[in-house]
Amino acid sequence: MHTVVVGTSGVTASDVLAVARAGARVELSAEAVAALAAARGIVDALAAKPDPVYGVSTGFGALATRHISQDLRSRLQRNIVRSHAAGMGPRVEREVVRALMFLRLKTVCSGHTGVRPEVAQTMADVLNAGITPVVHEYGSLGCSGDLAPLSHCALTLMGEGDAEGPDGAVRPAGELLAEHGIAPVELREKEGLALLNGTDGMLGMLVMALADLDTLYKSADVTAALTLEALLGTDRVLAPELHAIRPHPGQAASAANMLAVLTGSGLTGHHQDDAPRVQDAYSVRCASQVAGAGRDTLAHARLVAERELASAVDNPVVLPDGRVESNGNFHGAPVGYVLDFLAIAAADLASIAERRTDRLLDKNRSHGLPPFLADDPGVDSGLMIAQYTQAALVSELKRLAVPASADSIPSSAMQEDHVSMGWSAARKLRTAVDNLTRVLAIELYAATRAVELREGLTPAPASRAVIEAVRAAGVQGPGPDRFLAPDLAAADAFVRDGRLVAAVEKVTGPLR
């Protein structure tokens, strides 16, 4: 099994994906253990002094004015975890919780939090045992970090609350720790606060969304190319010299992908004698411009994620010169903004894909295809209602594109009077990614059927490879009406797990 070693300088996106989705093991580097011990020594020295230090010998948030005596400090750290584990609603997905825990461990290992090495090791042990704390949908405002979600994770480290075992069953966390030989942690000064105070949930969801959207943007280039081909459109608009004079890198990459898919096509450029065209519709002709803008948005979001993955987010933080300073680095605005940007881009990509699908089904605009791609129009409805489903998904995506980060709601007796709502932005982006996948699956379903209906014309080699692969995956081709939902589900799985892109790349080589 792959092992990810956590040091003091952060982690990579591939590390997050390996731990969250592939169950990779986690180890602490010797450098991290030394940094943890050094920072802990600073916290212990401050804890022994009579002067109040936030997070070490005071209350929290609006209660930070109270100095806490030494005999109450362990209780204080336990209490912050218990009281902040106040989430409600459905359970959050296992991969999200694993990313959340792993990214909190990343910050702990930076040596800026003052957490003891044994606490960090327990975090790694829980991940390696396949124990997943029960975390709920609601509870984070994205400021002071993802407090409630992280608190539910910290509760598991204490042997309290519920968690999911490696077998998928939810049981008391204490029982699961005992079965795996893991001793519950006894929190000391600052440790409870350090386990809760980060943007790790929203960052983990951003990293996973970036990976998913990278595949979906390539998939969208493929489905757009197939639709262009099915509509007998022209590929001349994809010429590199046209995109060089508007030098957005995402646009050039998208056009190059579409051109690669269409190379060798016998369908492109055919304009029927009774319906001559000078230009294709915007949804076809501007596909690479829209997808390219989304790709450039992805690039910006990826840069933000990389910076966050190299960050140590906590309050207060232990600095190399021995100071322990309060700060505002836990505010989720940098992450929340790009999560919202991606939701906007996903909605627009879905919107243009739906318009292309509708064009394939409309006999007045499809240049010779049967109405709704039906086998016997009137007796058969063809893909009429598949487009309804696609339209419903696009409408939902537009609602999900409304920014969460533009909102703020004050909390903690006005001490936390401006929050990022980054967790909410991340949660809705996950839904948007799922729905975008379904929208592209429907375009794929319609476009492959339409290409096959162009009898006497030879599609591009890459298009033929897609059609063969999708048919082998259980997605049926043209014919009389049948129960459509299973076909659409199979198409969705074909896009979601990357088989669409893989089928194309066997012919074209790697897409950009």
Side-chain angles (χ1 to χ4, degrees), residues 88-94 97 132-137 163-165 168-170 427:
M88 294 184 73
R91 283 180 57 194
V92 171
E93 304 85 358
R94 182 176 185 270
V97 180
T132 306
V134 170
V135 173
H136 300 280
E137 180 80 17
E164 179 186 300
V170 174
R427 296 305 296 166

Side-chain angles (χ1 to χ4, degrees), residues 354-392:
E354 184 274 331
R355 288 293 80 205
R356 289 192 297 263
T357 305
D358 181 66
R359 184 165 290 271
L360 287 169
L361 305 188
D362 183 351
K363 71 180 182 65
N364 297 312
R365 294 179 291 138
S366 66
H367 307 288
L369 291 169
F372 303 106
L373 306 181
D375 186 62
D376 185 2
V379 174
D380 294 311
S381 295
L383 306 191
M384 180 190 295
I385 306 305
Q387 186 268 330
Y388 278 40
T389 300
Q390 195 183 40

Side-chain angles (χ1 to χ4, degrees), residues 241-422:
E241 59 269 25
L242 295 176
H243 299 278
I245 62 175
R246 193 190 191 193
H248 293 289
Q251 176 179 321
S254 178
N257 285 347
M258 290 182 66
L259 200 56
V261 174
L262 294 170
T263 297
S265 175
L267 281 76
T268 57
H270 287 272
H271 291 169
Q272 292 175 296
D273 294 336
D274 61 345
R277 278 175 289 161
V278 176
Q279 299 179 120
D280 292 315
Y282 282 11
S283 60
V284 177
R285 189 176 7 135
C286 303
S288 57
Q289 282 78 8
V290 172
R295 285 169 168 272
D296 291 341
T297 304
L298 278 177
H300 172 62
R302 193 172 291 112
L303 176 62
V304 171
E306 288 168 356
R307 289 171 177 165
E308 287 287 307
L309 290 169
S311 299
V313 177
D314 193 16
N315 180 49
V317 291
V318 181
L319 296 173
D321 61 8
R323 287 180 293 145
V324 176
E325 296 284 1
S326 292
N327 66 92
N329 284 342
F330 49 73
H331 198 288
V335 183
Y337 288 174
V338 295
L339 289 162
D340 280 333
F341 298 163
L342 292 175
I344 292 168
D348 201 36
L349 187 65
S351 179
I352 197 170
E354 184 274 331
R355 288 293 80 205
R356 289 192 297 263
T357 305
D358 181 66
R359 184 165 290 271
L360 287 169
L361 305 188
D362 183 351
K363 71 180 182 65
N364 297 312
R365 294 179 291 138
S366 66
H367 307 288
L369 291 169
F372 303 106
L373 306 181
D375 186 62
D376 185 2
V379 174
D380 294 311
S381 295
L383 306 191
M384 180 190 295
I385 306 305
Q387 186 268 330
Y388 278 40
T389 300
Q390 195 183 40
L393 290 163
V394 170
S395 184
E396 174 72 5
L397 275 155
K398 291 174 182 177
R399 290 191 292 272
L400 293 167
V402 176
S405 58
D407 186 29
S408 178
I409 189 164
S411 57
S412 193
M414 293 300 286
Q415 175 71 5
E416 299 170 8
D417 59 351
H418 184 274
V419 297
S420 77
M421 302 308 296

